[in-house]
Amino acid sequence: MGRGRSARIRPWLGGVLLVTVAAAGLGLYWFQPWKLWQDETVDEALPATAGASRAPAQGPSSGKPAAPSSSGPVTLASGDLISHEHATSGTVELLRLPDGSHVVRLADLDTSNGPDLRVLLTDAPVEEGRAGWHVFDDGKHIGLGKLKGNKGSQNYTVPAHVDPARYRSVSIWCDRFDVSFGAAELARA
């Protein structure tokens, strides 16, 4: 009688083991806990623009060269990153380049690594504490791309059709869990 009972338990035990292994594999894929111990440093210089090396254009009616545009980027807005879900520090600048394009620059960024981190330009106010963790995808927001590295200084191009004046904050956003790792309110210069 003991032998029959043992034969019925083995298939059940094998099924439980299979489900446990599958759940552990899915959990590892979803949470990617190893990223908490892996830092990725990316240090980029400000982007060069195609128009920077061109000769000045002629003035509208005088035939004289037009006044040259600024030789470097102009800061339109900036702010300091505050921590949300993970400890985050650094500064954010919204820059207009000499060719008229816009870039969001993260400078001296230091945050945790995580799964599916993105940089969002948003119209949401930055709130400290848990109240600010989930607000950045509620209103208008533009994804500027995947976070290139959790440490360093990086540039993110604002699409040409976007009016950056309509946005007031930048968030390091974990798309997988819909939570902000950190954010900065953009104070106009």
Side-chain angles (χ1 to χ4, degrees):
M1 180 154 193
R3 192 171 198 199
R5 183 174 181 191
S6 176
R8 286 191 306 259
I9 291 177
R10 276 191 217 144
W12 179 81
L13 189 58
V16 168
L17 183 61
L18 182 64
V19 168
T20 302
V21 168
L26 283 172
L28 286 173
Y29 168 76
W30 190 253
F31 289 96
Q32 299 178 357
W34 58 87
K35 286 196 170 190
L36 291 173
W37 297 281
Q38 294 177 334
D39 288 329
E40 192 167 343
T41 301
V42 174
D43 280 313
E44 295 180 323
L46 280 172
T49 59
S53 62
R54 284 192 229 146
Q58 295 294 319
S61 61
S62 66
K64 295 180 182 176
S69 63
S70 171
S71 62
V74 175
T75 301
L76 301 177
S78 63
D80 293 325
L81 286 162
I82 66 165
S83 299
H84 280 147
E85 172 71 20
H86 291 268
T88 302
S89 63
T91 59
V92 176
E93 291 180 297
L94 174 61
L95 303 170
R96 184 178 59 235
L97 301 179
D99 67 357
S101 64
H102 295 90
V103 168
V104 168
R105 179 160 177 84
L106 304 179
D108 301 320
L109 174 66
D110 188 1
T111 191
S112 297
N113 207 343
D116 206 12
L117 294 180
R118 312 235 172 218
V119 177
L120 297 184
L121 184 61
T122 79
D123 68 349
V126 175
E127 298 180 33
E128 292 193 32
R130 291 185 68 96
W133 288 15
H134 303 282
V135 300
F136 297 101
D137 64 343
D138 293 345
K140 273 188 166 179
H141 60 278
I142 300 291
L144 301 181
K146 288 189 174 219
L147 187 69
K148 298 172 185 177
N150 64 309
K151 296 187 181 299
S153 297
Q154 304 147 31
N155 307 306
Y156 296 88
T157 302
V158 177
H161 69 279
V162 172
D163 178 6
R166 300 183 75 175
Y167 298 90
R168 59 192 281 190
S169 61
V170 172
S171 173
I172 308 299
W173 183 256
C174 180
D175 210 30
R176 171 109 7 115
F177 296 104
D178 291 329
V179 67
S180 173
F181 273 35
E185 188 86 31
L186 293 173
R188 301 294 169 192

